[in-house]
Amino acid sequence: MADWVPPTLPPGGALYRAIADAIAMDIASGALTPGMRLPPHRKLADALGVDLTTVTRAYADARARGLVEAVVGRGTYVADAVNPQRTKVELDLSMNLPPQPTSANLALRLGRAMAGLTRRPDLSSLLNYQPSGGGDGDRRAGAKWLSARIPDLDAGRVLVTGGAQACLSALLTLLGGWSADVMTDPFTYTGFRMATQLRGLYVTPIQTDSMGIVPEALSTVARNAEAKIVYLIPTIHNPTCTTMPLERRQAIVKVARDLNLTLIEDDAYGMLADPGPPPLAALAPERVWHISSLSKCLTPGLRVAYLVAPLGADIPAVRAHLRATAQMAPPLSVAVATGWIEDGTAQEILAAIRQEAEERQAIARRELPVGSMVAHAQGHHAWVTLPPYWTDRAFAEAARKMGAAVIPGAAFAMAPEPPPRYVRVGLGAAPDQQALTVALRRLAALMRNGPVAEEEVV
């Protein structure tokens, strides 16, 4: 392959290193295989529009990494025994994680925060049981964090919980008991699906369009089924990436008020959207239970989420259900979160993660087939439509074998027979943008080439 030219060069850093990185990515993706000949230095320099010295340094860098071998008088070849630890990329793109860019300095900041806790005079109290729903100071910090989304939020309505899943489980028990009907999108968060199944709740999927749940469909189902609870992810929906515009949110609120519906708003991704439409809790504070997690905008390791109760809610009853579900939020994690919110660290980490998310979404748009994905520019995942020769489960299995695991759309389906041609691709789990690019190129190749035909057996 003496005419090889990288389709794109990884952004940032020195140009010669970007060329070497491109060689590494194409080896990992299979575009370059052991023994292939690379273009002569001058030919590649002319093709890329760079000077000869840059390509010479790039090939030298690639040789130092063990990627290529130079044969005197013959040229440069992909190494026969490339170090697998350097080039093999095994990524679980099924995980919907926030990226951890170096600019966020998470390790350093977390180390400093934990060291600071050991010097606090009230350390002994942090090592003991805390009130279910959080102490007053932590609830005030939660209200401060959420004030960007819900202006003038009273801290008395905020409860601190041990992650969104525990919060959602307690809330479904509080509102639905063990036999209520719940309405939601045809595809939705798998944690909600599991929580409803464990409680024996009957879930009715509501028709959606490109803006989310259709208000008229919600009204029809709510009247006929007498269901009173609606679970929604209005901003950067998981998995479909839909974000409801303001007009659609207002229409949903009107239906909820007309039919006296209770709305559970899962706003796990709301902080990423900048600017984003106001949450439902700001439009209908009398009937919305708002869940906001730090997992997607800071780090899932904190296991901290905030629950905003509607105006007039029975807060002691909510605390009791939180206590029965998970006793309390992890005190050390809550202390870190509170400190980061108060000193501005949380906002700095959020800004770094949001910027990294934007860059990774740009890579996905570049690498995946045109028109195949729906995504939010600041989200951590993409909802990908497969070609007609793939089913979601077959594609997910093939992708896993290639080292780039994704989630089949059926895992999110609330209807018994979903269209089996979607997969969710997480973009944040990759350790860096180069590894993500390699993984996405593998997925793109699968989408273009289709399933490998099995040999006929006679």
Side-chain angles (χ1 to χ4, degrees):
M1 188 182 280
D3 58 347
W4 173 84
V5 176
T8 57
L9 292 178
L15 186 56
Y16 80 91
R17 189 174 295 116
I19 298 172
D21 288 343
I23 294 172
M25 286 190 291
D26 277 1
I27 291 174
S29 67
L32 290 174
T33 58
M36 279 188 175
R37 183 184 178 188
L38 294 178
H41 295 53
R42 188 173 299 281
K43 183 176 180 180
L44 183 59
D46 292 340
L48 294 175
V50 300
D51 58 73
L52 180 62
T53 303
T54 299
V55 174
T56 300
R57 291 188 66 187
Y59 279 11
D61 187 20
R63 283 198 305 275
R65 301 189 204 182
L67 301 174
V68 301
E69 298 172 339
V71 181
V72 177
R74 294 181 56 199
T76 303
Y77 293 79
V78 176
D80 288 331
V82 176
N83 184 343
Q85 297 302 316
R86 292 179 181 270
T87 61
K88 188 177 182 181
V89 179
E90 297 295 339
L91 288 176
D92 189 357
L93 302 186
S94 66
M95 298 297 291
N96 201 11
L97 301 173
Q100 296 186 3
T102 55
S103 57
N105 290 319
L106 267 174
L108 176 64
R109 283 168 159 157
L110 185 58
R112 288 176 176 173
M114 296 303 291
L117 294 184
T118 65
R119 296 190 294 269
R120 282 178 49 162
D122 63 342
L123 175 61
S124 61
S125 68
L126 295 179
L127 301 178
N128 213 323
Y129 288 101
Q130 304 293 309
S132 295
D136 292 344
D138 298 320
R139 295 171 71 186
R140 285 193 295 271
K144 178 180 179 180
W145 174 250
L146 296 172
S147 63
R149 301 276 290 145
I150 309 174
D152 303 318
L153 177 59
D154 181 358
R157 295 171 55 202
V158 178
L159 294 167
V160 187
T161 74
Q165 186 63 41
C167 178
L168 179 59
S169 296
L171 199 52
L172 286 171
T173 303
L174 172 70
L175 300 177
W178 296 92
S179 61
D181 292 348
V182 184
M183 297 171 285
T184 191
D185 300 76
F187 295 89
T188 197
Y189 169 50
T190 55
F192 167 78
R193 179 179 181 176
M194 289 186 291
T196 55
Q197 288 175 340
L198 287 173
R199 284 158 183 76
L201 303 180
Y202 183 80
V203 180
T204 301
I206 308 297
Q207 177 190 350
T208 59
D209 59 18
S210 61
M211 295 186 290
I213 280 181
V214 176
E216 296 78 10
L218 174 62
S219 177
T220 299
V221 172
R223 291 178 190 276
N224 294 337
E226 297 185 355
K228 293 296 182 184
I229 303 171
V230 189
Y231 172 76
L232 300 162
I233 310 175
T235 304
I236 314 183
H237 183 274
N238 180 19
T240 66
C241 299
T242 301
T243 293
M244 284 187 182
L246 176 59
E247 296 78 8
R248 176 59 57 89
R249 295 175 190 236
Q250 291 170 332
I252 294 293
V253 165
K254 183 179 187 307
V255 172
R257 284 175 170 153
D258 290 344
L259 301 180
N260 194 27
L261 305 180
T262 297
L263 307 181
I264 300 176
E265 179 177 34
D266 189 339
D267 202 39
Y269 306 89
M271 286 290 183
L272 295 171
D274 182 34
L280 298 172
L283 302 176
E286 82 285 357
R287 66 185 59 254
V288 176
W289 296 83
H290 179 92
I291 304 172
S292 180
S293 170
L294 299 183
S295 292
K296 306 303 181 185
C297 54
L298 297 183
T299 172
L302 287 179
R303 301 312 305 144
V304 175
Y306 301 105
L307 172 63
V308 179
L311 295 171
D314 185 352
I315 299 299
V318 183
R319 284 181 178 271
H321 279 79
L322 291 173
R323 183 166 59 252
T325 302
Q327 182 61 46
M328 63 181 180
L332 296 178
S333 292
V334 173
V336 170
T338 294
W340 281 356
I341 291 169
E342 290 177 342
D343 68 12
T345 297
Q347 283 290 350
E348 294 174 2
I349 295 174
L350 171 61
I353 289 176
R354 186 185 286 144
Q355 177 62 37
E356 179 72 12
E358 290 180 356
E359 294 175 8
R360 293 188 179 213
Q361 288 287 354
I363 292 173
R365 290 193 299 272
R366 183 185 73 212
E367 298 296 340
L368 294 178
V370 175
S372 65
M373 61 175 271
V374 176
H376 187 282
Q378 295 160 324
H380 300 324
H381 64 282
W383 187 235
V384 177
T385 301
L386 301 172
Y389 41 75
W390 279 112
T391 66
D392 61 340
R393 294 192 185 280
F395 184 87
E397 179 61 25
R400 180 174 293 277
K401 291 178 180 178
M402 292 186 68
V406 298
I407 292 288
F412 304 94
M414 303 308 298
E417 296 182 0
R421 283 184 49 214
Y422 301 104
V423 292
R424 191 193 70 181
V425 180
L427 307 179
D432 52 50
Q433 295 182 12
Q434 175 181 332
L436 176 64
T437 301
V438 170
L440 292 176
R441 286 181 181 174
R442 292 178 179 179
L443 297 182
L446 273 181
M447 293 176 70
R448 287 193 300 268
N449 298 334
V452 176
E454 296 184 3
E455 294 184 4
E456 184 177 356
V457 178
V458 263

